[in-house]
Amino acid sequence: MMLIDCPWCGPRNETEYGYGGEAHVAYPADPSALNDNEWAKFLFYRKNPKGLFAERWVHAAGCRRWFNAVRDTVTYEFKATYKPGETQPIKTTNAPPTNASAPGGTK
Amino acid sequence: MAEQVLNDISTLRTSPLAHLQSALEQGSVSGERGVKVREIAFTTQIGVRAEPGSAAHAAIAAELGIALPEGVGSVCGTTDGIAVLWLGPDEFLAVAPEGTEMADRLVRALGDEPGQVVDLSANRSVIELSGPSARAVLEKGCPADLHPRSLATGSAITTTLGPVPLLLWKTGEETFRLLPRASFADYTARWLLDGMLEFASAPID
């Protein structure tokens, strides 16, 4: 059993959570301008680093909220969890863009 | 031929655990290791969504006469009157005995403000588990920490029991209310009866 620290509910069992893939994948500013290759890369291409990785998780059986987590892909250890829009407590290679106030999927 | 007129439609109602009522009574155990289970049927439950700090949040709290809970686990109001449970940062569940007309009042209080008031009365059924062994029964299948230092009397959390997602509301030292979806009520009750079975006989050392 592994405990994951929900930013709203505190530590809960991992079985209450769902995984949502890589975090901070920005929605294209002008989706219609993308060609098929660029669109496919936005939809399907994700980083797969060894070590710290920012991911989206959902507390599905609890408060049903999405949040971000920094997890070590080698040890599975959760280093930090943070609410959407909050600054990353630990830097990862897939960090959110600096202009995070921009509308769209930057959160 | 005379037309039959039904004046009181509530006589047609059947609660989700009506068919198990005698099984729940027979499965309840009294004594030192006792644990009792019963259904609390036909409660009024209103789903409320309002951002804390917004006008909608204040209006609903004012209409209820109860401050809305602020964080995980917290419950405002009284167990047998109107209680408001925290489900999420902007999501609450008001639970009350039937006949409060709460839904209409809250819809009027919300007005045109951004937010949501929905009558969810039939969505969740209420099962009450009480007795010295109640916590031991729940700990067989609930991943949350049910020790009093972690789950205080008068708090409620969203968690799972076995495979069933439910609201776990600790209303007394040894009393828990479980609110699974109505379609899971039958399974949850049978799961509890199975978990309670061992407490009917003397402990094996």
Side-chain angles (χ1 to χ4, degrees), chain A residues 1 8-10 12-13 15-16 59 61-65, chain B residues 49 72 86-91 143-144 157-160:
Chain A
M1 176 163 136
W8 290 278
C9 300
R12 295 289 185 87
N13 191 11
T15 54
E16 295 189 4
H59 193 187
C63 61
R64 303 192 296 153
R65 293 306 180 283
Chain B
R49 294 203 68 165
V72 61
W86 186 95
L87 300 187
D90 63 349
E91 192 171 10
I157 54 169
T158 322
T159 183
T160 52

Side-chain angles (χ1 to χ4, degrees), chain B residues 51-120:
Chain B
E51 198 71 42
S54 67
H57 192 271
I60 287 166
E63 178 62 41
L64 282 171
I66 303 168
L68 299 183
E70 282 179 7
V72 61
S74 62
V75 177
C76 296
T78 54
T79 305
D80 295 311
I82 298 174
V84 187
L85 281 61
W86 186 95
L87 300 187
D90 63 349
E91 192 171 10
F92 313 94
L93 185 73
V95 184
E98 61 176 324
T100 51
E101 309 294 329
M102 199 164 46
D104 296 339
R105 282 167 46 206
L106 292 183
V107 167
R108 271 196 301 272
L110 180 65
D112 294 329
E113 294 292 330
Q116 195 179 61
V117 172
V118 188
D119 190 343
L120 301 174

Side-chain angles (χ1 to χ4, degrees), chain B residues 41-198:
Chain B
F42 309 127
T43 55
T44 300
Q45 295 167 37
I46 311 294
V48 175
R49 294 203 68 165
E51 198 71 42
S54 67
H57 192 271
I60 287 166
E63 178 62 41
L64 282 171
I66 303 168
L68 299 183
E70 282 179 7
V72 61
S74 62
V75 177
C76 296
T78 54
T79 305
D80 295 311
I82 298 174
V84 187
L85 281 61
W86 186 95
L87 300 187
D90 63 349
E91 192 171 10
F92 313 94
L93 185 73
V95 184
E98 61 176 324
T100 51
E101 309 294 329
M102 199 164 46
D104 296 339
R105 282 167 46 206
L106 292 183
V107 167
R108 271 196 301 272
L110 180 65
D112 294 329
E113 294 292 330
Q116 195 179 61
V117 172
V118 188
D119 190 343
L120 301 174
S121 297
N123 185 30
R124 291 178 186 269
S125 46
V126 185
I127 305 170
E128 189 178 77
L129 192 73
S130 59
S133 298
R135 196 179 113 203
V137 172
L138 294 177
E139 280 173 345
K140 293 181 182 192
C142 180
D145 186 1
L146 304 183
H147 192 280
R149 77 175 158 244
S150 173
L151 186 72
T153 300
S155 56
I157 54 169
T158 322
T159 183
T160 52
L161 184 71
V164 180
L166 46 67
L167 265 164
L168 181 78
W169 179 12
K170 189 175 179 186
T171 55
E173 289 293 327
E174 293 176 339
T175 310
F176 297 87
R177 285 191 186 176
L178 311 174
L179 285 80
R181 308 252 176 195
S183 54
F184 287 118
D186 176 90
Y187 177 89
T188 309
R190 290 178 197 274
W191 191 100
L192 289 171
L193 287 171
D194 183 49
M196 289 157 62
L197 196 60
E198 67 164 297

